[in-house]
Amino acid sequence: MKSIIIIGGGIIGLSAAYYLQKEGHQVTVIDQSNMDEGASYVNAGYLTPSHIIPLAAPGVIKQGIKWMFNPKSPLYLKPRLEMDFLKWVWAFNKSANKKHVERCIPVIRDINLLSRDLYQDIKQDEGFNFQYEKKGLLMLCQTDKMLEEENEVAHKAIEAGLPVKELSLEELYKMEPGVKMNVKGAVHYECDVHTTPGEFMSEIKSYLKQKGVIFNTNEKVEDIEVKKNEITAIKTNKQTLYADEYVLAAGSWSTLLGKKLGISIPLQAGKGYRINTEKNTGITVPAILAEAKVAVTPMHGFTRFAGTMEVAGINHTINKVRVDAIAQAANRYYPEIRIEQEEKDKAACGLRPVSPDGMPYIGRSAKCDNLTIATGHAMMGWSLGPATGKLVEEIIAGKKTSMPVDAFHPDRKF
């Protein structure tokens, strides 16, 4: 049995805590927040084997530059003369090529499928009640151009062995008869699952506390002591803590902590927003509004509309223009659904840690022998939580991992 400190109490940190305590380790989770907000709570709740294309794909930076001058655009890169940001943009652009995409597709598929099934295992093994519905995911398209693009991605998914169907309007309305849609057609990924994130987070926290996992909330790591390639202690704003092993799962803050260890973890915080409506929308199948890049999820008790990738540094400022853009997109695709001002006023945001190549960091850096890094999941953090947690446990134990992890190596070059 080892003593293990996990820095970060989001979905990645809690998933690691789950699998580590299962193996008998004494686990402590430290988080600078109260652990009731952020990306793990405001995401779309998707478990997405369908999302096989990494964020670093051809044309993304070019499109991002075009959208830079549109305050309502789905992707916004705030230009700033910061070395970390400039290096990240350079590395992202370098990674955004066809060869990189083709290399990543099977890896992203496999970790998503592993994680989707692990969610179900946790639900069954622990008797949890969180929403887990396998209705798939619709890509709703308003233009012929977008429908053509989505069909191309669908063909790649089919080649990768995923069950996907192109739907006519008639087939779409048979699947989703209770809501009027202003679209030309859709693609249906049958492999996807949706959840209500707050339910899972509540259940896993309660479970871990019952199992003896220690939670230090509202506690910020301020310094890390290292000797001979090993962390010997971490200092927070409240105390000094010691452990045999450490896990860095601090999301968008991981880069700052990595610097204290002399480890480069290139990341940018990608802010996303969500709006909830408790009105009966008639929506029963999750969907992505393809042109607007807005995710729609029928959760327990409400429908969630989530979207945007705002790369503008670490901040939690709510940009009302971007919230309005999500609400307007909902109405464009579902003309009978109108999001009220009161609902927009309750919008929340979260920061997703985005690596330059669209792949997470999972593994040990050569610069620190008793640290396992688990961050950089971007928009797939919720989807990849349990798989990442299981891989972290296997890496710490020196076991054969459930899947190859070379593509996630923290020391990879860009």
Side-chain angles (χ1 to χ4, degrees), residues 129-282:
N129 295 309
F130 66 90
Q131 181 189 27
Y132 182 96
E133 290 191 65
K134 193 177 179 183
K135 291 187 175 181
L137 178 67
L138 293 166
M139 304 297 296
L140 300 181
C141 304
Q142 290 189 317
T143 63
D144 291 329
K145 182 176 182 291
M146 184 54 73
L147 200 52
E148 189 178 320
E149 288 178 19
E150 287 301 332
N151 284 338
E152 284 179 19
V153 177
H155 291 152
K156 287 184 184 294
I158 291 167
E159 287 171 10
L162 298 175
V164 191
K165 284 183 181 175
E166 296 168 27
L167 301 182
S168 65
L169 276 178
E170 185 183 357
E171 291 170 321
L172 176 61
Y173 274 109
K174 277 184 183 175
M175 183 177 293
E176 193 69 302
V179 60
K180 186 178 180 182
M181 290 170 279
N182 178 24
V183 298
K184 287 202 167 185
V187 172
H188 184 223
Y189 289 88
E190 299 173 331
C191 47
D192 287 16
V193 168
H194 68 284
T195 63
T196 301
E199 291 180 344
F200 180 82
M201 293 298 282
S202 177
E203 286 190 293
I204 194 80
K205 282 187 291 188
S206 295
Y207 169 88
L208 292 172
K209 285 174 183 174
Q210 288 169 10
K211 294 295 180 179
V213 173
I214 297 165
F215 285 84
N216 294 350
T217 57
N218 301 302
E219 190 163 342
K220 187 175 182 180
V221 175
E222 294 184 336
D223 201 10
I224 302 173
E225 293 182 357
V226 182
K227 277 185 185 175
K228 296 179 181 177
N229 264 35
E230 281 203 352
I231 297 173
T232 55
I234 61 169
K235 292 184 176 180
T236 74
N237 58 328
K238 297 180 179 179
Q239 59 186 317
T240 299
L241 293 162
Y242 306 90
D244 301 315
E245 293 276 350
Y246 299 82
V247 178
L248 180 54
S252 297
W253 290 265
S254 299
T255 297
L256 302 173
L257 293 170
K259 284 180 178 178
K260 294 181 184 296
L261 297 161
I263 300 173
S264 174
I265 309 172
L267 287 174
Q268 285 294 311
K271 190 190 298 178
Y273 297 86
R274 70 98 179 106
I275 308 170
N276 295 338
T277 179
E278 294 180 10
K279 294 193 296 280
N280 181 12
T281 60

Side-chain angles (χ1 to χ4, degrees), residues 6 12 52 92 141 149 155 209 221 280 304 332 335 351:
I6 299 171
I12 304 299
I52 54 171
F92 188 103
C141 304
E149 288 178 19
H155 291 152
K209 285 174 183 174
V221 175
N280 181 12
R304 174 166 290 177
R332 281 202 311 276
L351 301 178

Side-chain angles (χ1 to χ4, degrees), residues 293-340:
K293 304 290 187 285
V294 168
V296 184
T297 316
M299 296 187 178
H300 276 164
F302 56 94
T303 302
R304 174 166 290 177
F305 296 86
T308 82
M309 176 64 81
E310 182 182 325
V311 181
I314 293 180
N315 70 82
H316 288 90
T317 305
I318 300 287
N319 185 328
K320 291 185 178 180
V321 174
R322 306 189 80 72
V323 172
D324 283 340
I326 293 171
Q328 288 161 12
N331 182 243
R332 281 202 311 276
Y333 285 77
Y334 303 104
E336 293 178 348
I337 294 174
R338 193 168 300 278
I339 293 174
E340 305 299 333

